[in-house]
Each structure stands twice: as C-alpha cells, then as structure tokens.
Amino acid sequence: MSCQRNAGKITVPDDLRDVLLEFTISYLLEQPGDIIDYAVDFFTRLRDARQTQLIRPDAQTCSSTPDESVDEEPPVGRFATRRKSVFAETYNPEEDEEDDGFKMVHPKSDEQRQRLSESVKNILLFRALDEEQMADVLDAMFEKTIQPGEFIIRQGDDGDNFYVIERGKFEVYVKDPTGVDSLIHTYDNRGAFGELALLYNMPRAATVKAITPGTLWAMDRQTFRRILLKSAYKKRKMYEDLINKVPMLKSLESYERMNLADALVPKQYSDGEQIIRQGDTADGMYFVEDGIVRITILGENGREIEINRVPAGGYLGELALVTHKPRAASAYAVGDIKLAFLDVEAFERLLGPCMELMKRNIDDYEDQLVKIFGSKTNISDIR
C-alpha cells in the first residue's frame, strides 16, 4: 500500500484512499475518546477481517479522493508537525440541531437528474443511502461546467464543496517539502473529491486542476454533512436498536453488531407483496423492523399453507443460507412493512457466531411441518 514513484511522480494507491475514508467515517460516527486507541482497534479488526473481505481494498467503484487523503507533511515526524486543527471541528450528528425538514434544492431538468444519478451511483459515500436520502442528494447538488486549465480546489484553501465528476480529466497535485508540485493522481471521467476537508476544520490538502473540458456536480459543506453523515449516523442507530431486539444476535460482540448495522439495507413492502418465493435461489435474509410477515409453503394439492408469522424483531430467509438449498417457503407482507435486508456475502462474513443457533432452529421449523403433513419432513426438501 506504499506510494509509488514514477519518473519523479508520486502515485497514491486507490486502496490507501479507500481505507482512510472508511476509517474517517467510522471515527466521526463513533466519536471515541482517544483517536490513537481507536485507530489501533480499527486497523487491527481490518487486518483480521481481510481474508473474509470485510472491507474490499480492490473495489473499483470507490472514488475517495487523494486530494483530501494525503498529508501535507512528509511521514517522518508528522505527529510533531501536523496541523493542530485537523480534528478540531469533527462533526457530531448527535449535536446537530438543524431542522430535519430543511432541504437544499437546486432545480434540475429530467435530463440533468438522469446524468447526475449515473454519476453518483458508484460513489462509496452514497451506497448506504435509502431512496429518500438519495433524492435529497440529487436535489442538493448543482452543476458546474469546467474549462481546461481551471483550478477546482487549491492546496491550502478552505473547503467549500464536495465534487462528483460527470465527465472530464482532472489532475491532483501536492507540494513536496521543497514547495514543488508533484502529480499524485489523475481522474479520468469518473470519481469524486473534496470530502475530507468538509468533515474537519482543515484547509485543502492538495490542488485539483482540469486538463480537459468537464462537468462536475457540487454539494456545499453544510448540506454534505447533514445528508451524508447524519443519515449514516441515523441509519446505524436505527439498525443497532433493531439488532438489540433480535435474541439470536445477542451473542455478537459490539463491533460485530456495528458492522452488521452498517451492512443492512432498508426494504419496504406493501400488503400482500411477495418477499420470498419458494424454490428461488437465496440472495440474503431479512430482519423485520416494523410489521408482520406471513410464511407459507406449498401443500400436496399445490395450495399455499400458512405455517408461521414473523413479527417485528424477528427474522426470515436464513434457512436457505444455512442449508445452501433453494428457498423452502414463501413470505408475504401483512400490511405495509419495513424490513432490513442482509445479502448473502455479508451474512457469511458477519453472522458466523450465530450459525449454530440458526441450525438448531431448523428442527423447530420441521416440527411445524409434522403437524401439517403428519410425518417428519425435511424443510430443505420442500419445493
């Protein structure tokens, strides 16, 4: 993960930018008392989780910015000379008293909105947002047309906007200890930059210059914080509360619950809507946040028979993941419901400690089938 030098140019690897951004967001949400102790714990867990791909350093869609992730000082003695105000203005969502009803809206045509949606869909910072929050992001961003040679941000300036690239090539420069600008990265028609200076009270750590005509989408500092950080904070707290209501998950360590909360994706279903179809390949499991889910199986006459109802705080869909078989039952919404979805990859890496308990629960389901079919039936054999 070391920086590479090519013909005097310093290149910052993508995986370094990814890890620094992941750490920064986690730090801001947790607000620990000691940043060094927190960093040791964070990177120790990251190292231990590497084999299970808890964080994927080879992800190609992450677009964290090198301009905000590079120290201005050289590594040697950086803690003795580093700017003292770097962590002076960390954002605490709990202390944000801004009216949640306030929304920044920059009007856009349908064509502009479509182009912006395409530009932001692979940005790491936006992946955890639900549909409503993503709509707020699209509303809040404004378009900027860029000319060749134009400076977007300059090293040492105050942070004002966060930028997403729609098109164009942009070079990133950092001054070395002698004051000479070194090219460290080139964006080629995709990516985003400028986020970290908005999280702290710190000047820009690099300069970004356009080398072709281009188009950027920008979001101001205040809106960036309110939408992205506060939304991420509220999502984590909401799902931590949900996880605490699921008895099976009490065996997880606190950091495992935190990782699980971050991995959950909100899903909403209307009355009677099918959530799971018997016989389908399993893509994940669900936790019931609000409402009731009806579970059915196909009887011998081909008619669906209700075998269970899962209330808020319960979960469903785990059997196919445990047995590696197709879905053994169908699931339907009873009224309008809210679920939290955990995909199969996250299930395998995060719920290992709960696997034995889920396997024991298979017997409970099979006992219910005895009452229905009159004989012992393996639930994984039902199609």
Side-chain angles (χ1 to χ4, degrees):
M1 194 180 292
S2 61
C3 297
Q4 301 174 349
R5 286 183 178 271
N6 294 316
K9 298 180 180 179
I10 302 175
T11 302
V12 179
D14 289 340
D15 52 358
L16 174 60
R17 298 196 300 275
D18 291 355
V19 170
L20 290 176
L21 180 59
E22 188 81 18
F23 170 74
T24 299
I25 294 175
S26 183
Y27 171 84
L28 291 170
L29 292 176
E30 291 299 302
Q31 295 290 307
D34 189 300
I35 184 175
I36 301 300
D37 288 344
Y38 184 77
V40 170
D41 178 66
F42 177 89
F43 288 107
T44 298
R45 287 190 280 111
L46 183 61
R47 180 196 61 194
D48 294 343
R50 180 180 298 172
Q51 292 182 347
T52 57
Q53 295 184 340
L54 182 59
I55 295 178
R56 301 172 188 172
D58 60 341
Q60 296 300 312
T61 56
C62 178
S63 52
S64 173
T65 169
D67 71 292
E68 300 299 303
S69 304
V70 180
D71 287 326
E72 293 183 41
E73 294 82 10
V76 178
R78 76 173 71 177
F79 290 110
T81 60
R82 188 176 178 85
R83 188 181 305 273
K84 294 295 190 296
S85 62
V86 168
F87 289 97
E89 197 186 277
T90 51
Y91 173 70
N92 186 348
E94 240 174 356
E95 297 176 354
D96 186 352
E97 298 178 354
E98 182 179 347
D99 181 10
D100 286 339
F102 170 79
K103 291 185 179 181
M104 176 66 71
V105 178
H106 292 278
K108 300 173 183 67
S109 66
D110 291 342
E111 186 266 341
Q112 284 179 308
R113 201 171 185 86
Q114 179 61 36
R115 287 192 285 112
L116 175 55
S117 298
E118 288 297 314
S119 298
V120 304
K121 66 181 182 181
N122 290 323
I123 302 300
L124 175 66
L125 286 170
F126 299 153
R127 291 182 190 171
L129 301 182
D130 59 29
E131 291 184 6
E132 182 178 353
Q133 292 164 341
M134 181 57 75
D136 288 345
V137 167
L138 300 184
D139 286 339
M141 301 193 80
F142 55 94
E143 188 174 14
K144 292 190 67 173
T145 301
I146 305 300
Q147 300 302 321
E150 184 175 344
F151 288 90
I152 316 305
I153 62 178
R154 293 179 184 269
Q155 184 172 340
D157 286 354
D158 291 335
D160 51 0
N161 295 320
F162 166 67
Y163 297 95
V164 174
I165 299 170
E166 178 181 325
R167 65 181 181 90
K169 292 186 178 182
F170 302 85
E171 292 181 338
V172 183
Y173 295 89
V174 171
K175 291 185 183 296
D176 64 21
T178 66
V180 177
D181 286 331
S182 297
L183 177 64
I184 65 168
H185 189 73
T186 300
Y187 289 107
D188 189 354
N189 288 288
R190 70 172 186 171
F193 56 86
E195 70 273 17
L196 296 189
L198 304 189
L199 302 180
Y200 310 122
N201 181 24
M202 66 177 294
R204 297 292 193 186
T207 295
V208 177
K209 179 182 178 181
I211 58 175
T212 68
T215 301
L216 297 174
W217 292 96
M219 180 188 295
D220 68 80
R221 178 190 185 106
Q222 184 179 13
T223 306
F224 175 87
R225 288 185 168 196
R226 178 180 63 82
I227 293 179
L228 296 179
L229 276 186
K230 194 168 187 179
S231 295
Y233 174 82
K234 290 171 68 176
K235 173 181 179 287
R236 174 178 284 182
K237 289 300 180 184
M238 177 181 69
Y239 284 143
E240 283 181 345
D241 291 341
L242 172 63
I243 289 169
N244 289 334
K245 296 176 183 176
V246 181
M248 175 188 72
L249 301 179
K250 290 182 178 179
S251 62
L252 297 178
E253 299 292 339
S254 60
Y255 76 89
E256 292 173 323
R257 296 186 191 185
M258 179 185 70
N259 289 329
L260 176 58
D262 288 340
L264 293 174
V265 176
K267 299 275 189 178
Q268 297 187 22
Y269 294 88
S270 301
D271 184 36
E273 190 173 355
Q274 189 170 54
I275 304 163
I276 291 174
R277 185 188 303 274
Q278 184 174 334
D280 283 356
T281 301
D283 58 350
M285 69 174 293
Y286 299 84
F287 296 91
V288 183
E289 181 184 342
D290 184 39
I292 297 175
V293 176
R294 179 169 61 95
I295 308 298
T296 69
I297 59 173
L298 292 175
E300 294 179 351
N301 59 2
R303 297 180 60 184
E304 288 188 313
I305 302 173
E306 181 175 324
I307 63 170
N308 193 21
R309 291 199 170 202
V310 183
Y315 55 93
L316 60 142
E318 81 287 358
L319 291 181
L321 301 181
V322 173
T323 62
H324 301 288
K325 298 289 184 67
R327 296 292 193 188
S330 296
Y332 298 88
V334 179
D336 295 337
I337 66 171
K338 293 182 179 180
L339 304 179
F341 177 70
L342 184 70
D343 67 52
V344 60
E345 292 184 0
F347 171 88
E348 292 175 352
R349 73 175 184 257
L350 296 176
L351 292 188
C354 304
M355 197 65 70
E356 288 303 316
L357 180 57
M358 284 186 279
K359 288 180 180 178
R360 291 199 298 270
N361 287 343
I362 293 178
D363 293 334
D364 295 335
Y365 287 107
E366 292 178 345
D367 289 341
Q368 295 180 46
L369 297 180
V370 172
K371 298 177 183 178
I372 297 173
F373 293 101
S375 61
K376 188 72 173 178
T377 304
N378 189 331
I379 192 168
S380 63
D381 292 334
I382 298 176
R383 298 292 181 266

